[in-house]
Amino acid sequence: KACEDQLIIDAGQKHFGPVSCSTCGMIYSAASLEDEAQHVQYHQRLLEGIRYVGWKKERVVAEFWDGKILMISPDDPKYALKKAEEVRELVDTELGFQQSTLTCPKKTKSYLFVSNEKKIVGCVIAEPIKQAYRVLAEPSSPGSESRDASDRHRAWRCSTAPESAVCGISRIWVFALTRRKGIGRRLVDAVRASFIYGSYISTEEIAFSDPTPDGKRFASSYCHV
Ligand code: ACO
Ligand code: ZN
């Protein structure tokens, strides 16, 4: 199999600094056995998790030159739900969520971006909500070394008054090697167009739960354009 060949090639190169795997995107030190072992484990789990074999009945909600978006509803066949669950677990591991459960699995919809190479390279989990708190902009701190570094350590300030909302983005994830190609944007567009049958959700009516720094940068860009 191609992925095994790739692993052997990677392991054979001796680097001293951090290396980035061109298949799974993990950055690790090839000089450390422990790192290498962790990489092999992640590499295999990721490749298995994002593999899409194709289903007889798939619900395509958007099609593009580089892939398509599938929607999975709670009453879909077992195999579809199982795949959505597998991808969610992968995403949760990457986001550092432990043993997380969905608030309302019966109303949750998953959206998967499947590339032409039949890999699931993006995922959004959306759930119905009634209200959300607006994240308030932090005053910029000119003394901090870089915006990125300060972003990672700060807590978001939220407004105290809830505003009405209809759709919560519980998770959004795009495969590390295919980020900044508009996959996240297209996934959220698909959610807005199809989450509630027959109605289009405005950017005001969607909310992102507990965003990471990446998630917050994405959300503020998405909601202001
Ligand atoms: N830094 C700055 N701006 C960004 C970033 C970033 N890291 N990511 C997205 N944006 C902004 C940009 O303005 C971008 O437009 P541009 O590329 O033309 O400048 C715009 O958002 C749209 O970006 P997309 O290409 O559509 O987003 P992408 O496909 O890269 O997915 C995502 C963004 C999902 C946040 C991705 O970076 C990711 O998976 N990160 C790791 C997982 C994660 O942190 N997910 C969010 C968790 S929070 C939650 O789930 C509710
Ligand atoms: Zn790898």
Side-chain angles (χ1 to χ4, degrees):
K1 278 192 278 180
C3 57
E4 280 162 4
D5 294 342
Q6 182 67 53
L7 271 180
I8 290 159
I9 293 163
D10 280 346
Q13 294 167 329
K14 282 297 164 208
H15 294 270
F16 290 94
V19 292
S20 161
C21 174
S22 61
T23 308
C24 72
M26 183 172 166
I27 298 163
Y28 64 101
S29 159
S32 148
L33 275 180
E34 199 183 321
D35 252 35
E36 240 176 43
Q38 222 167 43
H39 167 235
V40 169
Q41 199 184 9
Y42 175 82
H43 188 104
Q44 277 161 350
R45 188 164 169 227
L46 182 101
L47 287 192
E48 180 56 31
I50 69 174
R51 198 169 58 127
Y52 178 71
V53 287
W55 302 322
K56 228 184 268 164
K57 268 172 61 183
E58 50 173 38
R59 199 186 291 102
V60 178
V61 292
E63 272 185 291
F64 306 97
W65 62 275
D66 56 346
K68 60 186 171 189
I69 297 176
L70 310 181
M71 179 175 88
I72 298 155
S73 280
D75 35 62
D76 278 355
K78 268 248 170 69
Y79 55 79
L81 295 173
K82 219 181 129 211
K83 192 69 206 181
E85 174 83 17
E86 198 180 335
V87 176
R88 182 172 71 85
E89 279 168 9
L90 206 73
V91 171
D92 282 358
T93 312
E94 202 168 313
L95 292 176
F97 294 177
Q98 281 169 358
Q99 295 266 316
S100 65
T101 49
L102 295 164
T103 3
C104 194
K106 280 270 153 269
K107 289 182 181 155
T108 300
K109 287 177 180 158
S110 301
Y111 292 80
L112 304 178
F113 190 105
V114 180
S115 71
N116 294 337
E117 294 76 40
K118 291 199 166 292
K119 299 259 181 346
I120 298 163
V121 293
C123 161
V124 163
I125 298 174
E127 54 190 4
I129 54 168
K130 294 219 167 62
Q131 54 186 37
Y133 294 87
R134 189 162 296 275
V135 175
L136 302 174
E138 290 285 303
S140 59
S141 43
S144 65
E145 287 142 43
S146 83
R147 214 173 64 82
D148 278 21
S150 63
D151 263 11
R152 274 184 242 287
H153 301 289
R154 73 165 75 150
W156 313 119
R157 270 197 311 143
C158 293
S159 64
T160 46
E163 294 172 39
S164 73
V166 297
C167 177
I169 306 292
S170 154
R171 318 267 198 293
I172 178 166
W173 168 88
V174 170
F175 177 47
L177 300 176
T178 57
R179 283 181 195 158
R180 300 305 286 273
K181 294 182 192 300
I183 293 175
R185 187 177 283 281
R186 285 178 279 168
L187 276 163
V188 180
D189 287 345
V191 172
R192 291 170 59 201
S194 66
F195 188 70
I196 299 171
Y197 185 78
S199 100
Y200 195 81
I201 301 171
S202 73
T203 52
E204 302 281 295
E205 296 169 310
I206 55 167
F208 294 79
S209 67
D210 280 341
T212 56
D214 265 358
K216 192 166 178 265
R217 282 190 280 267
F218 168 80
S220 52
S221 160
Y222 184 90
C223 292
H224 293 119
V225 183

